[in-house]
Amino acid sequence: MANNTQGFQKKSRKLVEQTFIIMETITDRDIDKVKALKKMKRNALGLLGIAVLLFLIAIYFKIPMLQAFSEAAMVGGIADWFAVVALFRHPMGIPIWHTAIIPTKKNEIGENLGNFVSEEFLDREKMEIKLDEFNFAVKASDWISQEENANKIADVVAVNIIPGILRTIKDEDVKRFIQVQFKEKMEGINFGNWVAVALEPLQKGELKNQMLTNLLEVMSSELTNNKDLIRQKVKASTPLLSFGLADKSITEGVFNGLQDFLNEAKKPESAVRLKIDEYIFNFLEKVKNSEEMRIKINDMILGFVGKKEVQDYINGIWDEVKLSITNDLDKGDDSSIKNSIAGLIQTFGNGIKEDQVMIDKINNFIKNDLLSILLNNKKVIGDLISSTVKSWDGKEVSEKLELEIGKDLQYIRINGTLVGGFIGLVIYGVEQLYHLIVM
């Protein structure tokens, strides 16, 4: 149980760390966010500058209404600037009380966030209602049954997962595994029994006679085709003093003798054929009934398997498989592996949609088993979120959060400037109306 909990904690921690984009490195997308944030800051600051300019104009030309608007706008803009900046850092670097809230309160934020997720999100009753409404199996099957989505998943598998696995796996380990498995499988096979069973039909019937006749025909044909080779071998073996006079007669004698033997053996009732039949019969009987003969056959085949040439061939199997996979994946959209994966995913999605039993099983698994795992470990999940946030650098968290939400927060400054100005007009109007009524 402890091992399972530790394993779940490790997996959950990794998931949490991957889920929170706050601690990601700067990417092209982040650069775009930085540009957008700076632009909104300039807009907010520019609007505040306009309020200051209007204030100076109102003072110089003695325009009370414009002065009331600009004064209130400046107050609203500066106050909201202070409020926004105070979230992420000390305004103007001055350590004013209750500023730089995010970096200084990071641990409390993490604790509250972890408690909020574990208590509010991971509630069985709420999650069961949501799961029933969502019907995960139907939506998932609808999604993966679409060709575009199936291709997206296949792309991920073909571009990232499979090459990643191939890079991770050590070739030596795979080759060693194949060799061990091949050896164990071969040693588990009784080749003697196989040979005995395979050769048993040859002991009787026309099959044996036909095969033997065919073999003798092939031997006779090969003998004829290699007559010149026989002559060369004979010539190389005869004394030089014969000056080649005996070569032809010896060659003809050897050739005719072998040919006569094969022709005689082709006749079913000849003495030669009967002798060959007897030899084959005795050999097959020995294979069937002699344990020693079977062991010899087994050892002979296993000895062949253990030869370096065979081992090199076995090792080359993985290299060929790996090369074939890599070459196929390099074809991109024309990859047969990728297209096969996409087809399987799409077929699987279509199959689920038409199988209510499978839909119920998937939904019940998520609702009961998976949900139970989450709920049983909700404190662990909350602690992981909390500890993960606590482990982050406060300054970096503040910068990343400002990058994510700072652009929208600049609207607070803009609204503060505009709303402040209009409130200043309202106050000025009320003041003037009061003077008009009282006077």
Side-chain angles (χ1 to χ4, degrees), residues 22 116 142 370 414:
I22 294 176
F116 177 76
D142 285 339
L370 192 58
I414 292 173

Side-chain angles (χ1 to χ4, degrees), residues 206 208-214 216 261-280:
E206 287 299 318
K208 178 196 69 174
N209 292 329
Q210 187 62 46
M211 289 184 66
L212 184 56
T213 300
N214 292 341
L216 293 170
F261 175 82
L262 294 175
N263 290 334
E264 187 68 18
K266 293 177 188 178
K267 301 175 183 179
E269 302 302 327
S270 67
V272 176
R273 182 62 167 263
L274 293 175
K275 193 69 177 175
I276 294 175
D277 286 346
E278 182 182 356
Y279 175 80
I280 293 174

Side-chain angles (χ1 to χ4, degrees), residues 51-75 420-421 424-425 428:
V52 173
L53 181 61
L54 291 176
F55 175 73
L56 295 176
I57 292 173
I59 293 294
Y60 184 80
F61 291 102
K62 296 182 173 52
I63 307 173
M65 182 179 296
L66 183 59
Q67 181 178 344
F69 174 85
S70 57
E71 285 177 347
M74 288 190 297
V75 171
L425 285 178
Y428 176 78

Side-chain angles (χ1 to χ4, degrees), residues 329-349:
L329 294 178
D330 288 341
K331 295 178 182 178
D333 291 337
D334 295 329
S335 166
S336 58
I337 294 175
K338 173 186 167 296
N339 292 329
S340 296
I341 293 172
L344 287 172
I345 293 171
Q346 200 171 357
T347 301
F348 179 70

Side-chain angles (χ1 to χ4, degrees), residues 8-10 15 32 34 45 79 87 90 92-93 109 128 144-145 148 158 161 171 191 204 231 256 321 340 358 435 437:
F8 182 83
Q9 288 177 344
K10 290 179 180 178
L15 178 62
D32 292 337
V34 170
L45 183 61
L87 286 172
H90 297 300
M92 302 180 68
I109 292 172
E128 283 182 348
I144 64 176
S145 62
E148 179 183 358
I161 296 178
D171 292 344
F191 291 100
K204 51 191 175 181
R231 182 180 294 112
N256 292 334
V321 170
S340 296
M358 181 61 71
H435 288 303
I437 294 173

Side-chain angles (χ1 to χ4, degrees), residues 47-308:
L47 187 61
L48 181 60
I50 292 173
V52 173
L53 181 61
L54 291 176
F55 175 73
L56 295 176
I57 292 173
I59 293 294
Y60 184 80
F61 291 102
K62 296 182 173 52
I63 307 173
M65 182 179 296
L66 183 59
Q67 181 178 344
F69 174 85
S70 57
E71 285 177 347
M74 288 190 297
V75 171
I78 294 172
D80 284 338
W81 165 82
F82 183 90
V84 171
V85 172
L87 286 172
F88 306 107
R89 66 187 68 85
H90 297 300
M92 302 180 68
I94 302 172
I96 303 171
W97 187 50
H98 275 304
T99 59
I101 294 172
I102 290 175
T104 57
K105 298 290 184 178
K106 171 177 64 70
N107 292 347
E108 290 87 339
I109 292 172
E111 192 78 33
N112 292 334
L113 181 61
N115 291 334
F116 177 76
V117 171
S118 62
E119 296 300 327
E120 297 298 327
F121 279 88
L122 299 179
D123 177 79
R124 177 176 290 276
E125 185 176 348
K126 293 178 181 178
M127 294 191 73
E128 283 182 348
I129 293 173
K130 290 297 180 182
L131 288 173
D132 287 336
E133 293 176 352
F134 187 71
N135 198 335
F136 177 83
V138 171
K139 283 186 168 55
S141 61
D142 285 339
W143 192 82
I144 64 176
S145 62
Q146 298 176 27
E147 183 178 358
E148 179 183 358
N149 297 327
N151 284 330
K152 287 180 181 178
I153 300 174
D155 277 336
V156 173
V157 176
V159 175
N160 298 319
I161 296 178
I162 296 179
I165 293 173
L166 293 178
R167 287 192 299 268
T168 302
I169 294 176
K170 293 182 179 179
D171 292 344
E172 296 77 12
D173 294 340
V174 177
K175 292 175 181 179
R176 191 181 305 113
F177 174 80
I178 293 175
Q179 285 182 349
V180 170
Q181 293 298 312
F182 182 75
K183 183 180 179 183
E184 290 180 354
K185 295 298 182 184
M186 294 295 286
E187 290 176 348
I189 298 174
N190 192 327
F191 291 100
N193 287 340
W194 278 30
V195 172
V197 172
L199 296 179
E200 187 173 0
L202 296 179
Q203 284 186 293
K204 51 191 175 181
E206 287 299 318
L207 178 61
K208 178 196 69 174
N209 292 329
Q210 187 62 46
M211 289 184 66
L212 184 56
T213 300
N214 292 341
L215 178 61
L216 293 170
E217 289 284 356
V218 172
M219 292 175 67
S220 177
S221 176
E222 288 298 312
L223 181 64
T224 302
N225 294 336
N226 291 279
K227 188 174 182 179
D228 291 339
L229 180 61
I230 295 173
R231 182 180 294 112
Q232 293 174 10
K233 295 292 183 182
V234 170
K235 183 178 181 180
S237 302
T238 55
L240 294 176
L241 295 177
S242 66
F243 301 103
L245 298 176
D247 297 350
K248 185 176 181 180
S249 59
I250 294 174
T251 300
E252 291 296 330
V254 172
F255 177 79
N256 292 334
L258 290 173
Q259 197 65 265
D260 290 341
F261 175 82
L262 294 175
N263 290 334
E264 187 68 18
K266 293 177 188 178
K267 301 175 183 179
E269 302 302 327
S270 67
V272 176
R273 182 62 167 263
L274 293 175
K275 193 69 177 175
I276 294 175
D277 286 346
E278 182 182 356
Y279 175 80
I280 293 174
F281 180 83
N282 291 335
F283 174 76
L284 295 177
E285 281 294 312
K286 187 176 287 188
V287 172
K288 282 178 59 178
N289 302 316
S290 172
E291 184 65 25
E292 182 181 356
M293 177 60 75
R294 295 188 185 189
I295 292 174
K296 286 182 179 179
I297 294 173
N298 226 44
D299 291 343
M300 180 183 69
I301 295 176
L302 291 177
F304 171 77
V305 170
K307 287 185 176 295
K308 183 179 182 302

